[in-house]
Amino acid sequence: MATWTIGSVTVTRVEEQLGITHVPCEKYFRGFERDVLERHLHWLAPDHYSPQHDRVITSVHSWLIRAGDLTILLDTCGGNHKERPWTPRFHQLDTPFLQRLRAAGAAPEDIDLVLCTHLHADHVGWNTMLRDGRWVPTFPNAKYLFSRTDDAYWDVRKNPAMANDPRHMAYEDSVLPVVQSGQAVLVDDGYNVTNQLSIEAAPGHSPGHVVVRLAEQGRRAVFCGDVIHHALQVYAPHWNHMADERPADAAVSRRRLLESCAEQGSLLFPIHFGAPHVAAIEHATGGFAVKFVPGVP
Ligand SMILES: [Zn+2]
């Protein structure tokens, strides 16, 4: 388990899954260009691409952030025992995620804040767990911060059209029980979580997607959720992901993210990059370059 330090803040990666995607590159990325992949093969294998399968490798993890007195969990993976007929990688999982969280030093009752960058199934799953046949919040003492725009989009009570999309099941079992328990806080662009952590709108992958920016003792980091999925997109920011709800907005948010990282020296903490999972972004001829930054084991 690796940890990164930003000033007085520590960030630990808690893994749920790491492996090849279940779809070909041509489907995973909209606008995929094979020559870009081939140009970068020398660093892509084995952590970001499997030549044997011709599939990209992606991670699904949470970031455990310790900032001052607060213990924060950012994005909560797929969760266990959830019905996800539209996405086999997240259907009826049974992973030791909570044991790994404990191994990182946090029991569920220790979590003060849960931050979800957006409300897709692989970012809200551990918000809840099954107890006596009911979905209950996994983190009993936490406030959960959700994007107000995403909440309005995925909740069929607010957006009846969503009833036709099976993905609203993730809202029903992983967000609604938190709202009903009174633990949810709906937030907008510019919301300050603490004096170090703030929420910024980055729409496209979902309508209300947000990133969380950290500024601490002159150092910066950004927890970018699914604004970018794969390190190869640093070299092809115009490639969208198959699940980007609003592709044109997604591409704008991705480029803005990379630009801000390169300009401000913000360390990038994505949710799906392969090992070592964290990167610095630099300006390069014609665009950007990735420089991976391993954590301390
Ligand atoms: Zn995701």
Side-chain angles (χ1 to χ4, degrees):
M1 209 168 312
T3 296
W4 290 257
T5 301
I6 298 120
S8 68
V9 174
T10 65
V11 183
T12 301
R13 175 178 172 271
V14 183
E15 179 175 297
E16 181 182 75
Q17 306 179 40
L18 179 64
I20 58 166
T21 54
H22 59 280
V23 296
C25 299
E26 286 77 3
K27 184 167 180 205
Y28 190 75
F29 300 112
R30 289 187 198 145
F32 176 70
E33 298 146 297
R34 187 155 289 275
D35 60 308
V36 176
L37 175 93
E38 277 161 11
R39 224 164 32 238
H40 293 279
L41 267 183
H42 59 283
W43 62 266
L44 285 171
D47 291 319
H48 306 275
Y49 171 73
S50 164
Q52 181 199 345
H53 301 92
D54 187 27
R55 299 270 168 99
V56 291
I57 289 166
T58 60
S59 172
V60 181
H61 54 248
S62 297
W63 294 116
L64 177 66
I65 304 167
R66 289 188 176 87
D69 295 338
L70 290 177
T71 303
I72 301 168
L73 195 64
L74 187 131
D75 284 347
T76 63
C77 306
N80 277 359
H81 315 305
K82 303 220 153 156
E83 275 293 303
R84 302 287 184 253
W86 71 94
T87 177
R89 196 170 174 185
F90 298 100
H91 183 62
Q92 290 294 343
L93 294 182
D94 187 7
T95 74
F97 177 82
L98 289 183
Q99 282 99 298
R100 291 176 191 153
L101 185 64
R102 283 179 194 276
E109 49 276 19
D110 297 334
I111 303 294
D112 301 303
L113 277 175
V114 175
L115 310 180
C116 293
T117 57
H118 63 296
L119 302 183
H120 281 165
D122 57 322
H123 296 254
V124 299
W126 278 105
N127 284 0
T128 59
M129 57 193 293
L130 208 49
R131 187 172 296 142
D132 302 326
R134 285 181 55 230
W135 294 110
V136 299
T138 305
F139 309 105
N141 301 317
K143 286 288 181 198
Y144 291 63
L145 271 50
F146 301 135
S147 150
R148 187 186 312 279
T149 307
D150 248 27
D151 176 80
Y153 181 72
W154 293 103
D155 184 353
V156 292
R157 293 147 203 85
K158 297 168 184 165
N159 180 12
M162 192 47 69
N164 303 320
D165 187 332
R167 296 177 305 161
H168 82 268
M169 292 165 73
Y171 185 92
E172 300 294 315
D173 62 34
S174 301
V175 179
L176 189 59
V178 176
V179 173
Q180 289 172 337
S181 76
Q183 289 171 258
V185 178
L186 300 183
V187 299
D188 300 294
D189 181 42
Y191 181 90
N192 289 322
V193 182
T194 69
N195 56 14
Q196 305 151 310
L197 286 162
S198 58
I199 302 277
E200 182 184 297
H205 180 64
S206 73
H209 193 295
V210 298
V211 299
V212 180
R213 291 198 178 271
L214 169 66
E216 160 68 5
Q217 297 175 3
R219 298 190 57 201
R220 290 173 183 273
V222 57
F223 300 90
C224 67
D226 284 0
V227 173
I228 186 164
H229 281 76
H230 193 277
L232 198 48
Q233 285 172 294
V234 173
Y235 299 91
H238 56 289
W239 293 358
N240 281 314
H241 180 258
M242 60 180 179
D244 288 340
E245 312 272 338
R246 296 182 180 169
D249 291 343
V252 169
S253 289
R254 190 175 308 112
R255 194 168 283 279
R256 189 180 294 151
L257 172 75
L258 294 172
E259 199 70 60
S260 73
C261 286
E263 260 161 37
Q264 303 170 2
S266 283
L267 211 50
L268 187 67
F269 285 80
I271 294 291
H272 299 307
F273 275 26
H277 312 289
V278 172
I281 304 297
E282 297 170 342
H283 284 295
T285 316
F288 303 99
V290 69
K291 190 172 154 220
F292 289 107
V293 179
V296 176

mmCIF file of all heavy atoms in Angstrom, residues 118 120 122-123 205 225-226 229 271-272, ligand 1:
data_model
loop_
_atom_site.group_PDB
_atom_site.id
_atom_site.type_symbol
_atom_site.label_atom_id
_atom_site.label_comp_id
_atom_site.label_asym_id
_atom_site.label_seq_id
_atom_site.Cartn_x
_atom_site.Cartn_y
_atom_site.Cartn_z
ATOM 1 N N HIS A 118 -18.200 11.862 -8.526
ATOM 2 C CA HIS A 118 -19.430 11.746 -9.324
ATOM 3 C C HIS A 118 -20.143 10.478 -8.881
ATOM 4 O O HIS A 118 -19.621 9.744 -8.038
ATOM 5 C CB HIS A 118 -19.127 11.771 -10.825
ATOM 6 C CG HIS A 118 -18.291 10.625 -11.331
ATOM 7 N ND1 HIS A 118 -16.997 10.412 -10.929
ATOM 8 C CD2 HIS A 118 -18.569 9.623 -12.205
ATOM 9 C CE1 HIS A 118 -16.513 9.337 -11.543
ATOM 10 N NE2 HIS A 118 -17.447 8.839 -12.308
ATOM 11 N N HIS A 120 -21.199 7.622 -10.497
ATOM 12 C CA HIS A 120 -21.167 6.353 -11.238
ATOM 13 C C HIS A 120 -20.892 5.196 -10.284
ATOM 14 O O HIS A 120 -20.287 5.384 -9.217
ATOM 15 C CB HIS A 120 -20.080 6.391 -12.318
ATOM 16 C CG HIS A 120 -20.475 7.140 -13.558
ATOM 17 N ND1 HIS A 120 -19.570 7.545 -14.509
ATOM 18 C CD2 HIS A 120 -21.692 7.546 -14.004
ATOM 19 C CE1 HIS A 120 -20.208 8.174 -15.494
ATOM 20 N NE2 HIS A 120 -21.495 8.198 -15.217
ATOM 21 N N ASP A 122 -18.799 2.817 -9.977
ATOM 22 C CA ASP A 122 -17.466 2.468 -9.484
ATOM 23 C C ASP A 122 -16.858 3.562 -8.608
ATOM 24 O O ASP A 122 -15.671 3.511 -8.275
ATOM 25 C CB ASP A 122 -16.524 2.140 -10.656
ATOM 26 C CG ASP A 122 -16.405 3.277 -11.660
ATOM 27 O OD1 ASP A 122 -17.429 3.941 -11.929
ATOM 28 O OD2 ASP A 122 -15.293 3.512 -12.169
ATOM 29 N N HIS A 123 -17.683 4.551 -8.226
ATOM 30 C CA HIS A 123 -17.194 5.636 -7.353
ATOM 31 C C HIS A 123 -18.059 5.799 -6.100
ATOM 32 O O HIS A 123 -17.748 6.632 -5.258
ATOM 33 C CB HIS A 123 -17.126 6.960 -8.122
ATOM 34 C CG HIS A 123 -16.121 6.895 -9.237
ATOM 35 N ND1 HIS A 123 -14.905 7.517 -9.172
ATOM 36 C CD2 HIS A 123 -16.146 6.223 -10.415
ATOM 37 C CE1 HIS A 123 -14.214 7.251 -10.281
ATOM 38 N NE2 HIS A 123 -14.956 6.466 -11.054
ATOM 39 N N HIS A 205 -17.729 13.887 -17.900
ATOM 40 C CA HIS A 205 -17.834 12.440 -17.659
ATOM 41 C C HIS A 205 -19.204 12.129 -17.059
ATOM 42 O O HIS A 205 -19.851 11.155 -17.418
ATOM 43 C CB HIS A 205 -16.709 11.953 -16.764
ATOM 44 C CG HIS A 205 -16.784 10.484 -16.491
ATOM 45 N ND1 HIS A 205 -16.646 9.531 -17.480
ATOM 46 C CD2 HIS A 205 -17.039 9.801 -15.362
ATOM 47 C CE1 HIS A 205 -16.803 8.331 -16.960
ATOM 48 N NE2 HIS A 205 -17.045 8.460 -15.677
ATOM 49 N N GLY A 225 -10.947 12.176 -10.131
ATOM 50 C CA GLY A 225 -12.012 11.237 -10.487
ATOM 51 C C GLY A 225 -11.822 10.724 -11.896
ATOM 52 O O GLY A 225 -10.738 10.254 -12.266
ATOM 53 N N ASP A 226 -12.869 10.833 -12.711
ATOM 54 C CA ASP A 226 -12.834 10.288 -14.077
ATOM 55 C C ASP A 226 -12.755 11.376 -15.142
ATOM 56 O O ASP A 226 -13.188 11.167 -16.271
ATOM 57 C CB ASP A 226 -14.063 9.411 -14.328
ATOM 58 C CG ASP A 226 -13.939 8.063 -13.649
ATOM 59 O OD1 ASP A 226 -12.911 7.818 -12.986
ATOM 60 O OD2 ASP A 226 -14.873 7.247 -13.779
ATOM 61 N N HIS A 229 -9.097 8.924 -17.539
ATOM 62 C CA HIS A 229 -9.149 7.522 -17.115
ATOM 63 C C HIS A 229 -7.807 6.824 -17.172
ATOM 64 O O HIS A 229 -7.529 5.921 -16.394
ATOM 65 C CB HIS A 229 -10.126 6.739 -17.996
ATOM 66 C CG HIS A 229 -11.541 6.948 -17.620
ATOM 67 N ND1 HIS A 229 -12.211 8.097 -17.939
ATOM 68 C CD2 HIS A 229 -12.412 6.171 -16.920
ATOM 69 C CE1 HIS A 229 -13.444 8.016 -17.460
ATOM 70 N NE2 HIS A 229 -13.585 6.875 -16.830
ATOM 71 N N ILE A 271 -8.319 7.978 -10.435
ATOM 72 C CA ILE A 271 -8.883 6.777 -9.810
ATOM 73 C C ILE A 271 -8.574 5.511 -10.618
ATOM 74 O O ILE A 271 -8.621 4.404 -10.097
ATOM 75 C CB ILE A 271 -10.418 6.930 -9.639
ATOM 76 C CG1 ILE A 271 -10.730 8.038 -8.631
ATOM 77 C CG2 ILE A 271 -11.088 5.632 -9.211
ATOM 78 C CD1 ILE A 271 -10.365 7.749 -7.188
ATOM 79 N N HIS A 272 -8.236 5.671 -11.899
ATOM 80 C CA HIS A 272 -8.100 4.472 -12.741
ATOM 81 C C HIS A 272 -6.734 4.292 -13.384
ATOM 82 O O HIS A 272 -6.552 3.341 -14.143
ATOM 83 C CB HIS A 272 -9.193 4.489 -13.816
ATOM 84 C CG HIS A 272 -10.587 4.468 -13.275
ATOM 85 N ND1 HIS A 272 -11.025 3.520 -12.375
ATOM 86 C CD2 HIS A 272 -11.656 5.278 -13.488
ATOM 87 C CE1 HIS A 272 -12.296 3.752 -12.074
ATOM 88 N NE2 HIS A 272 -12.703 4.825 -12.734
HETATM 89 ZN ZN ZN B 1 -14.703 5.437 -12.872
#
